[in-house]
């Protein structure tokens, strides 16, 4: 039921949850009182021993004695790089939440406390106002969805002066029997199945640069410029190999190359956190890159090795997996349209309306028996797999349905699904069990032009 519930209530529910969280934090910040905040001041300390570090990146230390805010004599060690030496006095900062020693704070400290409280109050106002702003559309969207499910009110006959006729019982309508196989046949007749090559990831080490694989050392001539980010946080940073496909070793399906190696690179930068995806422009190859080597050099002495690889900012970093996986290809199969494809819902609604007399205008109106039917169809056609070709899987929505610039990207160039096997360490994880996919137009694929490939990934 999760997918249909998300589509019906998801946006409103997200707004409502965010609103509640913001308001709760706002009230918490507004309720912070003076007694609960730390008070800062400085005390005089005497240096009893000093330890200097010769390395610039390491701190020097000093042993000191001092009287704390409660009037107790204490000693301790602090990081100290100043010029004062043994026997000299220095000022060190102290803090306390004990109201009994508030008097130790001087005017400057009190001013700092006031500034801190003002900042907390400002945050509280922003959080509460932001929560209130999100609360209204959240409630509105949920109410609108609930209202759309209610059946229209029965019309009553106008009153006349004649005797009121005996009420006629409503006719008994037979329950509709849905033929799932027939529904799917009608959908597939409008959008035919496509060939797909399923790829099974197998954990491996030191794979050849010629293999179809995830991760590892890519096939790359020594005189070829290694792909790097082009602007912003990606600029100048090497991209990590996500996958490569050697079409000379893979079964062939229509329109795809019969030779050469196709590679998918993306960012592992922790600051980015999105594997190089540009949510506004999925075609912009800045944080990701697609490279096609049409002619393969067999002489490995002319190719990049592990020693030639660039240094990455993060050793394993922010990436869907660690290490490398061999991609074992299955024989091509016929793949019908998936429930994730943005056209599936419209086709399903057409069948329900044309063949079963329903009057749904959108998927949000479906309820009751039809809701269970749709959920079963979604599960039957959810192709969560690593593959070439076929139809895509999404944990949320197909971006081709609302991004005009990629509306005609009908070819699933490559899809990498999450995979987890407890205890084995064989894990591929896009966020929270998500999926990454790459799309291309049929025209560009036939021309072997991968410069406008669209990249997307999402998770639950």
């Amino acid at each position: 039921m999760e997918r249909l519930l998300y589509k019906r209530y998801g946006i409103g529910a997200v707004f409502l949850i965010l609103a509640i969280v913001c308001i709760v934090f706002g009230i918490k910040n507004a309720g912070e009182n003076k007694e609960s905040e730390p008070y800062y001041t400085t005390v005089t300390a005497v240096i009893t021993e000093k330890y200097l570090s010769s390395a610039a990146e390491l701190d020097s230390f000093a042993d000191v004695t001092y009287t704390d805010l409660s009037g107790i004599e204490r000693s301790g060690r602090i990081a100290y790089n100043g010029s004062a030496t043994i026997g000299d006095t220095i000022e060190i900062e102290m803090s306390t939440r004990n109201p009994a020693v508030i008097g130790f704070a001087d005017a400057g400290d009190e001013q700092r406390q006031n500034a801190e409280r003002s900042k907390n109050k400002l945050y509280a106002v922003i959080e509460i106002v932001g929560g209130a702003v999100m609360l209204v559309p959240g409630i509105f969207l949920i109410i609108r969805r609930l209202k759309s499910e209610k059946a229209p009110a029965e019309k009553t006959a106008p009153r006349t002066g004649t005797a009121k006729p005996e009420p006629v019982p409503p006719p008994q309508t037979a329950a509709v029997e849905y033929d799932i196989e027939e529904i799917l046949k009608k959908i597939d007749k409008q959008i035919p199945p496509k060939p797909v090559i399923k790829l099974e990831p197998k954990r491996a080490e030191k794979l050849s640069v010629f293999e179809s694989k995830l991760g590892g050392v890519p096939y790359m001539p020594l005189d070829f410029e290694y792909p790097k980010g082009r602007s912003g946080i990606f600029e100048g940073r090497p991209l990590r190999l996500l996958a490569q496909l050697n079409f000379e070793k893979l079964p062939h399906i229509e329109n795809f190359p019969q030779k050469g190696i196709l590679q998918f690179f993306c960012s592992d930068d922790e600051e980015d956190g999105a594997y190089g995806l540009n949510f506004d422009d999925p075609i912009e190859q800045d944080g990701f890159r697609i490279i096609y080597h049409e002619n393969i050099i067999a002489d490995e002495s002319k190719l990049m090795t592990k020693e030639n690889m660039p240094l990455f900012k993060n050793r394993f970093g922010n990436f869907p997996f660690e290490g490398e996986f061999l991609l074992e290809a299955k024989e091509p199969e016929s793949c019908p349209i998936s429930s994730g494809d943005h056209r599936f819902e419209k086709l399903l609604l057409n069948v329900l309306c044309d063949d079963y007399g329903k009057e749904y205008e959108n998927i949000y109106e479906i309820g009751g028996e039809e809701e269970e039917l749709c959920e079963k169809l979604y599960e039957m056609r959810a192709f969560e797999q690593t593959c070439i070709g076929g139809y895509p899987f999404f944990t949320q929505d197909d971006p081709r349905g609302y991004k005009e610039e990629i509306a005609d990207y009908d070819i699933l160039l490559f899809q990498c699904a999450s995979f987890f096997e407890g205890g084995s360490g064989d894990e591929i994880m896009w966020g929270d069990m998500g999926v990454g996919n790459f799309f291309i137009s049929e025209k560009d694929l036939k021309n072997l032009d991968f410069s406008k490939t669209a990249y997307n990934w999402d998770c639950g």
Side-chain angles (χ1 to χ4, degrees):
M1 305 296 288
E2 290 180 0
R3 179 177 173 85
L4 212 55
L5 287 173
Y6 171 79
K7 284 186 165 294
R8 179 174 298 150
Y9 306 114
I11 298 176
V14 168
F15 271 98
L16 193 60
I17 292 170
L18 289 176
I20 293 172
V21 170
C22 286
I23 291 173
V24 168
F25 274 97
I27 293 173
K28 181 178 181 296
N29 277 335
E32 292 286 345
N33 55 44
K34 188 171 182 178
E35 285 71 21
S36 66
E37 298 173 357
Y39 291 85
Y40 300 91
T41 189
T42 54
V43 297
T44 300
V46 178
I47 297 178
T48 59
E49 190 62 65
K50 192 171 182 181
Y51 307 92
L52 298 177
S53 171
S54 58
E57 66 272 15
L58 299 178
D59 288 330
S60 296
F61 295 91
D63 289 338
V64 296
T65 59
Y66 60 95
T67 302
D68 71 9
L69 297 179
S70 301
I72 299 174
E73 290 287 341
R74 295 187 183 276
S75 61
R77 178 169 295 177
I78 62 171
Y80 182 70
N81 293 309
S83 59
T85 185
I86 297 173
D88 291 346
T89 59
I90 59 173
E91 300 292 327
I92 61 175
E93 187 178 80
M94 302 291 293
S95 66
T96 181
R97 294 180 182 272
N98 183 358
V101 295
I102 292 175
F104 279 86
D106 59 23
D109 299 319
E110 183 66 23
Q111 186 177 18
R112 178 166 53 178
Q113 295 299 328
N114 290 336
E116 187 70 22
R117 284 193 291 273
S118 296
K119 184 172 69 174
N120 285 343
K121 289 179 181 178
L122 177 61
Y123 287 159
V125 170
I126 293 173
E127 288 164 345
I128 292 174
V129 170
V133 169
M134 288 186 285
L135 186 65
V136 174
I139 294 175
F140 171 76
L141 289 171
I142 291 176
I143 291 176
R144 188 175 68 174
R145 290 288 180 260
L146 292 173
K147 283 184 176 180
S148 68
E149 293 181 357
K150 294 182 179 179
E154 294 184 1
K155 295 182 179 179
T156 56
R159 302 182 69 177
T160 66
T162 58
K164 185 176 181 180
E166 290 293 324
V168 179
Q172 297 293 324
T173 57
V176 178
E177 293 186 6
Y178 293 102
D179 187 333
I180 290 180
E181 294 300 325
E182 188 63 26
I183 291 174
L184 291 176
K185 283 181 181 179
K186 290 181 179 295
I187 291 175
D188 294 338
K189 187 175 181 180
Q190 297 181 66
I191 297 185
K194 291 181 178 181
V196 63
I197 299 174
K198 295 180 181 179
L199 303 170
E200 184 176 357
K202 295 283 189 179
R203 171 69 70 181
E205 294 182 3
K206 299 179 181 179
L207 291 171
S208 163
V209 296
F210 301 106
E211 296 289 353
S212 295
K213 59 182 179 177
L214 301 178
V217 180
Y219 165 88
M220 192 161 292
L222 287 172
D223 59 355
F224 194 92
E225 184 180 358
Y226 192 91
K228 297 179 180 179
R230 290 172 173 158
S231 64
I233 62 173
F234 306 115
E235 186 172 3
R237 294 178 178 173
L239 304 177
R240 194 181 289 271
L241 178 68
L242 174 70
Q244 75 173 25
L245 306 172
N246 188 339
F247 289 106
E248 294 183 3
K249 296 186 176 183
L250 292 170
H252 177 63
I253 56 177
E254 185 181 7
N255 295 327
F256 280 76
Q258 298 190 53
K259 68 173 187 175
I261 290 179
L262 183 64
Q263 298 171 325
F264 303 82
F265 293 84
C266 60
S267 169
D268 69 344
D269 193 274
E270 194 170 3
E271 185 179 351
D272 165 45
Y275 311 141
L277 173 63
N278 184 332
F279 293 95
D280 297 322
D281 186 357
I283 302 175
E284 182 187 23
Q285 294 194 25
D286 187 359
F288 79 98
R289 194 72 45 78
I290 311 298
I291 296 175
Y292 178 59
H293 303 273
E294 185 171 3
N295 299 305
I296 301 176
I297 300 172
D299 185 354
E300 294 191 45
S301 67
K302 297 180 180 179
L303 302 177
M304 174 178 287
T305 64
K306 185 175 181 180
E307 288 71 27
N308 304 131
M309 288 280 285
L311 294 175
F312 296 99
K313 181 179 179 182
N314 302 311
R315 177 63 178 168
F316 297 109
N318 181 51
F319 212 63
F321 56 84
E322 296 180 5
E324 53 187 331
F325 293 80
L326 177 67
L327 291 176
E328 291 189 351
K330 308 299 182 182
E331 286 302 311
E333 300 177 16
S334 180
C335 178
I337 186 171
S338 67
S339 56
D341 192 290
H342 66 100
R343 298 165 294 182
F344 183 83
E345 288 176 354
K346 183 178 180 180
L347 296 175
L348 175 56
L349 286 173
N350 289 342
V351 173
L352 292 178
C353 294
D354 296 344
D355 289 45
Y356 292 94
K358 302 300 178 181
E359 297 182 357
Y360 298 125
E361 293 185 4
N362 58 63
I363 202 72
Y364 307 119
E365 297 178 2
I366 293 179
E369 184 181 1
E370 282 81 23
E371 182 175 342
E372 295 180 7
L373 168 71
C374 291
E375 196 59 41
K376 186 176 292 186
L377 291 171
Y378 284 134
E379 292 174 359
M380 291 176 65
R381 288 291 177 91
F383 302 140
E384 188 175 359
Q385 59 196 14
T386 297
C387 63
I388 303 169
Y391 289 92
F393 170 81
F394 302 94
T395 62
Q396 295 185 26
D397 295 306
D398 186 345
R400 299 173 300 168
Y402 55 84
K403 287 187 179 293
E404 185 177 349
E405 65 271 26
I406 58 172
D408 62 342
Y409 279 47
D410 292 336
I411 305 294
L412 178 59
L413 185 60
F414 174 66
Q415 177 169 281
C416 180
S418 288
F419 166 77
F420 176 75
E421 188 172 309
S424 69
D426 292 346
E427 177 179 308
I428 301 169
M429 195 66 63
W430 293 82
D432 180 15
M433 289 300 290
V435 62
N437 23 51
F438 296 84
F439 300 94
I440 193 171
S441 68
E442 183 176 334
K443 176 184 175 182
D444 287 340
L445 180 58
K446 287 181 177 179
N447 293 331
L448 301 179
D449 179 6
F450 300 97
S451 62
K452 296 188 288 293
T453 300
Y455 166 41
N456 177 79
W457 76 270
D458 62 19
C459 62

